[in-house]
Amino acid sequence: MALTTIDGAACAKCKFFDTEASGESLGLCRYNPPIGQANGDAAGVWPKVEASDWCGHFEPANA
């Protein structure tokens, strides 16, 4: 059973969702800064999310 939200909020419709680096069904969430890596030599990474995911930070992309 898929979870749904009011007005169909989903990462794919959020202004913080970036598909340029990952494709159409996966994307990067640009709401928070990149997450640091355990070995201090690697650069931080943006969280990967599914286009159908959603969270409490949703803002429509056209806003």
Side-chain angles (χ1 to χ4, degrees):
M1 174 191 227
L3 294 175
T4 58
T5 63
I6 295 174
D7 298 327
C11 290
K13 299 177 184 177
C14 183
K15 76 178 192 176
F16 301 112
F17 185 66
D18 178 8
T19 60
E20 287 185 33
S22 300
E24 289 193 25
S25 65
L26 279 179
L28 303 175
C29 179
R30 304 284 189 171
Y31 181 81
N32 290 308
I35 300 168
Q37 302 302 296
N39 90 10
D41 296 333
V45 296
W46 298 92
K48 286 186 181 177
V49 295
E50 293 279 340
S52 60
D53 286 345
W54 57 275
C55 75
H57 300 297
F58 176 79
E59 288 187 38
N62 57 357

